[in-house]
Amino acid sequence: MKGTTEASESNSRKPLKRFIKSSVVLHDRTQLETVFDYLLLVSNKKKRQASNSEITKRTVRVETSKAASPIPTWRQNKNQESVGYQVDTYLFYPRQFGINEHTYPKEKFYADVRPMLRFREPKMGFKTMVGGKTDEASPLVFLRDYLEAADSGRQLEPIQNAIDEVRLFACAYIGTYFRGIDRNRKRVKKLVSQSETVATEEVESVCLKIRRMVDRADRTLGEFSSLSDLAQAQSDASLRTLVEEMRIVQEYCYYRLRDGASYLLQFCQRLENKFTSVAINELKEAIMSVLAAHDGRARTLGFMMPSPTSTNAEKERFIHRRGELKRHIWEVLFLEIRTVPLFAVQRQLGAMIAAGLAATWALVAQFMIILRIAQEKDLADGLGLSGLVFLSAGILAYVIKDRIKEVGRSYFGGGVFRRIPDHSERIYYKNRFGKPTPVGDVKEFARFIKPEDLPPRIVELRDNTPESEVYGAGGITRILHYSKSIKLSGKLMILNRYPLRAVHDISRLNIDACLSKLGEPRRMVDLVTEDGDVEAVRFPKVYYLDMILSYWRLTEKGERSHQGLEYYRLVIDKNGLLRIERMN
């Protein structure tokens, strides 16, 4: 289930503005995946065109070598120093889960959360990728110039730059291809839902748009394959790693091309069930023709080509291979997260104070006991009854010292030093020269709160949902509040060439901690039929874990300027996650 966050109305009731895109999906039976896109660029086309025009006027073209890549005329707003976001997640645990600060400490929660940050792939159309727009940067144009420079013996950029461009091509190609598929999915859905009033011309128009998209995807991948053949034909040994990288990208793009084709053929089936048109058959033939051409090349290159009749071993190898290719290619957009220097010491300050107090108590207690037992009247009876008393006092002093340390760590960590985040990290990206460049910061907090400590808007949202009187605060023991704030530089370029649209934040939450105390997934219930008979029926036994996401955009001063709210209900049984229901 996917949802797009919209900013709430401001105090002046301005129109809603989108500032975060989000999606919540089931990754598997035990993991929930949340994806946030922190938008950095203005999406208004007119503003972008105005920016292009202004920058073009002011740009001074510097003569470079023929191997240099074209300078993109599009840039971000220079006045945009940084962009900040805050995402608050509220998890409402029912009593049956037995989840609280003692059974589920924040250290375990962070171990169950698997975050990953990367840049969103640059948005470029197929025309841009093949070099149809000379004023915009393109990986294929770069590779074409790079191979020409290598063939003529001119000085080359480092080979890693070319490898990064190859990987970026795959990311941009796949993103453009599947965005086109999603647009056409919506068109087909609209046609099918309005089939009684749809004219034949409208069906033909949609089929033509799909066919045009397939042709462009075919041509773009074909252009990349030609460049790969050109690199393979060159005898320069320094290009060997580039040739291998291009082969890897060809393989993964081929797999994704077939994935998209399966969706498109399903669109054709849906259209055939509602309409009779020659355009639908022509579209199917065009898709199959493109697949046949790429299948032939895949066989020549030795790519894996599984079928429904493939053995389980072959299917396993294919899924594993495709997963490794995906991680390898998208690595070009990954961001590295490092703990801020000295933060580990700062975070342990509360524990250090607690340990100091415990040590002070232990020393004072031991000194008093030794001082007491050293007196003559008690020393004579040191092995008698008084000796046992002193021994017990020593043990008690040690136990109290241990409790001072534990309670003090909790108190100083969550009370006096509450403003110190659980994690404070800096985000880095390897630039075109392989140097880690700081691009932002991220801070995380996690703590259990009581229902009465919820913000008013969260309480209002829960009170206005169905069954609120049943699944309200009375059935909740603890609420886990997880907050993440992220600050990003407003002047970021991918590989120093491509404008950045957004930062992609993927988190997976493991719910294994919720499952141990749940009942069996089926329960027998005796039902009385209309005939007066009693029939035992199996009913599914499920539990609800509610989750509210609150998004904020932060100003330069760190103040909240907009808010978006999303309310989800996770339906869970003993075996794991079943589905996600959108509540608002």
PDB file of all heavy atoms in Angstrom, residues 369-389:
ATOM      1  N   ILE A 369      32.368   0.423  56.658  1.00  0.00           N
ATOM      2  CA  ILE A 369      32.362  -0.954  57.184  1.00  0.00           C
ATOM      3  C   ILE A 369      33.724  -1.312  57.766  1.00  0.00           C
ATOM      4  O   ILE A 369      33.844  -1.867  58.871  1.00  0.00           O
ATOM      5  CB  ILE A 369      31.937  -1.945  56.081  1.00  0.00           C
ATOM      6  CG1 ILE A 369      30.470  -1.724  55.696  1.00  0.00           C
ATOM      7  CG2 ILE A 369      32.168  -3.387  56.523  1.00  0.00           C
ATOM      8  CD1 ILE A 369      30.018  -2.557  54.521  1.00  0.00           C
ATOM      9  N   ILE A 370      34.781  -0.975  57.025  1.00  0.00           N
ATOM     10  CA  ILE A 370      36.133  -1.288  57.507  1.00  0.00           C
ATOM     11  C   ILE A 370      36.445  -0.506  58.772  1.00  0.00           C
ATOM     12  O   ILE A 370      37.051  -1.021  59.740  1.00  0.00           O
ATOM     13  CB  ILE A 370      37.166  -0.990  56.408  1.00  0.00           C
ATOM     14  CG1 ILE A 370      36.965  -1.950  55.226  1.00  0.00           C
ATOM     15  CG2 ILE A 370      38.594  -1.095  56.945  1.00  0.00           C
ATOM     16  CD1 ILE A 370      37.831  -1.646  54.018  1.00  0.00           C
ATOM     17  N   LEU A 371      36.023   0.755  58.773  1.00  0.00           N
ATOM     18  CA  LEU A 371      36.262   1.578  59.950  1.00  0.00           C
ATOM     19  C   LEU A 371      35.548   1.011  61.177  1.00  0.00           C
ATOM     20  O   LEU A 371      36.094   1.005  62.290  1.00  0.00           O
ATOM     21  CB  LEU A 371      35.796   3.014  59.678  1.00  0.00           C
ATOM     22  CG  LEU A 371      36.089   4.049  60.784  1.00  0.00           C
ATOM     23  CD1 LEU A 371      37.601   4.196  60.976  1.00  0.00           C
ATOM     24  CD2 LEU A 371      35.449   5.385  60.453  1.00  0.00           C
ATOM     25  N   ARG A 372      34.322   0.517  60.953  1.00  0.00           N
ATOM     26  CA  ARG A 372      33.542  -0.030  62.060  1.00  0.00           C
ATOM     27  C   ARG A 372      34.131  -1.331  62.584  1.00  0.00           C
ATOM     28  O   ARG A 372      34.263  -1.536  63.807  1.00  0.00           O
ATOM     29  CB  ARG A 372      32.111  -0.259  61.581  1.00  0.00           C
ATOM     30  CG  ARG A 372      31.196  -0.870  62.626  1.00  0.00           C
ATOM     31  CD  ARG A 372      30.945   0.074  63.775  1.00  0.00           C
ATOM     32  NE  ARG A 372      30.015  -0.485  64.745  1.00  0.00           N
ATOM     33  CZ  ARG A 372      29.743   0.056  65.921  1.00  0.00           C
ATOM     34  NH1 ARG A 372      30.361   1.178  66.292  1.00  0.00           N
ATOM     35  NH2 ARG A 372      28.874  -0.503  66.728  1.00  0.00           N
ATOM     36  N   ILE A 373      34.495  -2.242  61.668  1.00  0.00           N
ATOM     37  CA  ILE A 373      34.994  -3.553  62.093  1.00  0.00           C
ATOM     38  C   ILE A 373      36.395  -3.461  62.695  1.00  0.00           C
ATOM     39  O   ILE A 373      36.846  -4.363  63.407  1.00  0.00           O
ATOM     40  CB  ILE A 373      34.977  -4.548  60.896  1.00  0.00           C
ATOM     41  CG1 ILE A 373      34.986  -5.989  61.415  1.00  0.00           C
ATOM     42  CG2 ILE A 373      36.146  -4.312  59.967  1.00  0.00           C
ATOM     43  CD1 ILE A 373      34.815  -7.024  60.322  1.00  0.00           C
ATOM     44  N   ALA A 374      37.082  -2.346  62.399  1.00  0.00           N
ATOM     45  CA  ALA A 374      38.445  -2.182  62.935  1.00  0.00           C
ATOM     46  C   ALA A 374      38.460  -1.787  64.400  1.00  0.00           C
ATOM     47  O   ALA A 374      39.523  -1.827  65.046  1.00  0.00           O
ATOM     48  CB  ALA A 374      39.200  -1.139  62.107  1.00  0.00           C
ATOM     49  N   GLN A 375      37.309  -1.405  64.954  1.00  0.00           N
ATOM     50  CA  GLN A 375      37.262  -1.054  66.369  1.00  0.00           C
ATOM     51  C   GLN A 375      37.463  -2.305  67.231  1.00  0.00           C
ATOM     52  O   GLN A 375      37.045  -3.401  66.845  1.00  0.00           O
ATOM     53  CB  GLN A 375      35.921  -0.387  66.695  1.00  0.00           C
ATOM     54  CG  GLN A 375      35.715   0.936  65.954  1.00  0.00           C
ATOM     55  CD  GLN A 375      34.405   1.600  66.309  1.00  0.00           C
ATOM     56  OE1 GLN A 375      33.729   1.200  67.279  1.00  0.00           O
ATOM     57  NE2 GLN A 375      34.042   2.623  65.544  1.00  0.00           N
ATOM     58  N   GLU A 376      38.095  -2.144  68.420  1.00  0.00           N
ATOM     59  CA  GLU A 376      38.512  -3.287  69.240  1.00  0.00           C
ATOM     60  C   GLU A 376      37.339  -4.141  69.691  1.00  0.00           C
ATOM     61  O   GLU A 376      37.405  -5.367  69.680  1.00  0.00           O
ATOM     62  CB  GLU A 376      39.282  -2.788  70.466  1.00  0.00           C
ATOM     63  CG  GLU A 376      40.616  -2.144  70.116  1.00  0.00           C
ATOM     64  CD  GLU A 376      41.359  -1.731  71.376  1.00  0.00           C
ATOM     65  OE1 GLU A 376      40.830  -1.966  72.478  1.00  0.00           O
ATOM     66  OE2 GLU A 376      42.472  -1.190  71.252  1.00  0.00           O
ATOM     67  N   LYS A 377      36.249  -3.525  70.065  1.00  0.00           N
ATOM     68  CA  LYS A 377      35.126  -4.313  70.581  1.00  0.00           C
ATOM     69  C   LYS A 377      34.455  -5.146  69.490  1.00  0.00           C
ATOM     70  O   LYS A 377      33.803  -6.142  69.770  1.00  0.00           O
ATOM     71  CB  LYS A 377      34.108  -3.401  71.243  1.00  0.00           C
ATOM     72  CG  LYS A 377      33.496  -2.379  70.282  1.00  0.00           C
ATOM     73  CD  LYS A 377      32.461  -1.514  71.003  1.00  0.00           C
ATOM     74  CE  LYS A 377      31.820  -0.512  70.062  1.00  0.00           C
ATOM     75  NZ  LYS A 377      30.793   0.314  70.751  1.00  0.00           N
ATOM     76  N   ASP A 378      34.561  -4.711  68.214  1.00  0.00           N
ATOM     77  CA  ASP A 378      33.957  -5.478  67.112  1.00  0.00           C
ATOM     78  C   ASP A 378      34.964  -6.420  66.466  1.00  0.00           C
ATOM     79  O   ASP A 378      34.594  -7.434  65.895  1.00  0.00           O
ATOM     80  CB  ASP A 378      33.405  -4.529  66.059  1.00  0.00           C
ATOM     81  CG  ASP A 378      32.246  -3.703  66.582  1.00  0.00           C
ATOM     82  OD1 ASP A 378      31.444  -4.264  67.348  1.00  0.00           O
ATOM     83  OD2 ASP A 378      32.144  -2.497  66.227  1.00  0.00           O
ATOM     84  N   LEU A 379      36.252  -6.068  66.589  1.00  0.00           N
ATOM     85  CA  LEU A 379      37.269  -6.914  65.968  1.00  0.00           C
ATOM     86  C   LEU A 379      37.347  -8.277  66.634  1.00  0.00           C
ATOM     87  O   LEU A 379      37.556  -9.293  65.971  1.00  0.00           O
ATOM     88  CB  LEU A 379      38.632  -6.204  66.037  1.00  0.00           C
ATOM     89  CG  LEU A 379      39.802  -6.928  65.368  1.00  0.00           C
ATOM     90  CD1 LEU A 379      39.522  -7.055  63.869  1.00  0.00           C
ATOM     91  CD2 LEU A 379      41.105  -6.149  65.604  1.00  0.00           C
ATOM     92  N   ALA A 380      37.126  -8.285  67.936  1.00  0.00           N
ATOM     93  CA  ALA A 380      37.192  -9.567  68.663  1.00  0.00           C
ATOM     94  C   ALA A 380      36.086 -10.508  68.238  1.00  0.00           C
ATOM     95  O   ALA A 380      36.243 -11.728  68.289  1.00  0.00           O
ATOM     96  CB  ALA A 380      37.115  -9.310  70.173  1.00  0.00           C
ATOM     97  N   ASP A 381      34.973  -9.956  67.813  1.00  0.00           N
ATOM     98  CA  ASP A 381      33.832 -10.788  67.417  1.00  0.00           C
ATOM     99  C   ASP A 381      33.676 -10.826  65.888  1.00  0.00           C
ATOM    100  O   ASP A 381      32.602 -10.997  65.368  1.00  0.00           O
ATOM    101  CB  ASP A 381      32.547 -10.251  68.060  1.00  0.00           C
ATOM    102  CG  ASP A 381      31.419 -11.281  68.003  1.00  0.00           C
ATOM    103  OD1 ASP A 381      31.727 -12.485  67.950  1.00  0.00           O
ATOM    104  OD2 ASP A 381      30.241 -10.863  67.978  1.00  0.00           O
ATOM    105  N   GLY A 382      34.800 -10.585  65.165  1.00  0.00           N
ATOM    106  CA  GLY A 382      34.737 -10.507  63.703  1.00  0.00           C
ATOM    107  C   GLY A 382      34.293 -11.786  63.044  1.00  0.00           C
ATOM    108  O   GLY A 382      33.736 -11.772  61.947  1.00  0.00           O
ATOM    109  N   LEU A 383      34.558 -12.933  63.722  1.00  0.00           N
ATOM    110  CA  LEU A 383      34.140 -14.205  63.137  1.00  0.00           C
ATOM    111  C   LEU A 383      32.840 -14.708  63.710  1.00  0.00           C
ATOM    112  O   LEU A 383      32.393 -15.801  63.377  1.00  0.00           O
ATOM    113  CB  LEU A 383      35.246 -15.253  63.358  1.00  0.00           C
ATOM    114  CG  LEU A 383      36.613 -14.926  62.727  1.00  0.00           C
ATOM    115  CD1 LEU A 383      37.623 -16.025  63.092  1.00  0.00           C
ATOM    116  CD2 LEU A 383      36.479 -14.777  61.236  1.00  0.00           C
ATOM    117  N   GLY A 384      32.201 -13.948  64.549  1.00  0.00           N
ATOM    118  CA  GLY A 384      30.950 -14.359  65.156  1.00  0.00           C
ATOM    119  C   GLY A 384      29.760 -13.712  64.487  1.00  0.00           C
ATOM    120  O   GLY A 384      29.738 -13.478  63.273  1.00  0.00           O
ATOM    121  N   LEU A 385      28.762 -13.399  65.346  1.00  0.00           N
ATOM    122  CA  LEU A 385      27.524 -12.826  64.826  1.00  0.00           C
ATOM    123  C   LEU A 385      27.763 -11.476  64.174  1.00  0.00           C
ATOM    124  O   LEU A 385      27.225 -11.186  63.104  1.00  0.00           O
ATOM    125  CB  LEU A 385      26.508 -12.694  65.976  1.00  0.00           C
ATOM    126  CG  LEU A 385      25.131 -12.113  65.587  1.00  0.00           C
ATOM    127  CD1 LEU A 385      24.465 -13.029  64.570  1.00  0.00           C
ATOM    128  CD2 LEU A 385      24.262 -11.949  66.829  1.00  0.00           C
ATOM    129  N   SER A 386      28.592 -10.638  64.771  1.00  0.00           N
ATOM    130  CA  SER A 386      28.862  -9.326  64.188  1.00  0.00           C
ATOM    131  C   SER A 386      29.537  -9.453  62.829  1.00  0.00           C
ATOM    132  O   SER A 386      29.313  -8.643  61.910  1.00  0.00           O
ATOM    133  CB  SER A 386      29.730  -8.501  65.138  1.00  0.00           C
ATOM    134  OG  SER A 386      29.067  -8.288  66.363  1.00  0.00           O
ATOM    135  N   GLY A 387      30.349 -10.468  62.640  1.00  0.00           N
ATOM    136  CA  GLY A 387      31.002 -10.683  61.352  1.00  0.00           C
ATOM    137  C   GLY A 387      30.001 -10.939  60.243  1.00  0.00           C
ATOM    138  O   GLY A 387      30.148 -10.458  59.115  1.00  0.00           O
ATOM    139  N   LEU A 388      28.966 -11.713  60.551  1.00  0.00           N
ATOM    140  CA  LEU A 388      27.914 -11.958  59.549  1.00  0.00           C
ATOM    141  C   LEU A 388      27.180 -10.680  59.200  1.00  0.00           C
ATOM    142  O   LEU A 388      26.798 -10.452  58.050  1.00  0.00           O
ATOM    143  CB  LEU A 388      26.951 -13.019  60.083  1.00  0.00           C
ATOM    144  CG  LEU A 388      27.523 -14.423  60.270  1.00  0.00           C
ATOM    145  CD1 LEU A 388      26.478 -15.349  60.890  1.00  0.00           C
ATOM    146  CD2 LEU A 388      28.003 -14.986  58.943  1.00  0.00           C
ATOM    147  N   VAL A 389      26.992  -9.832  60.227  1.00  0.00           N
ATOM    148  CA  VAL A 389      26.314  -8.557  59.961  1.00  0.00           C
ATOM    149  C   VAL A 389      27.137  -7.703  59.020  1.00  0.00           C
ATOM    150  O   VAL A 389      26.630  -7.097  58.065  1.00  0.00           O
ATOM    151  CB  VAL A 389      26.046  -7.821  61.296  1.00  0.00           C
ATOM    152  CG1 VAL A 389      25.518  -6.409  61.028  1.00  0.00           C
ATOM    153  CG2 VAL A 389      25.075  -8.608  62.148  1.00  0.00           C
TER     154      VAL A 389
END
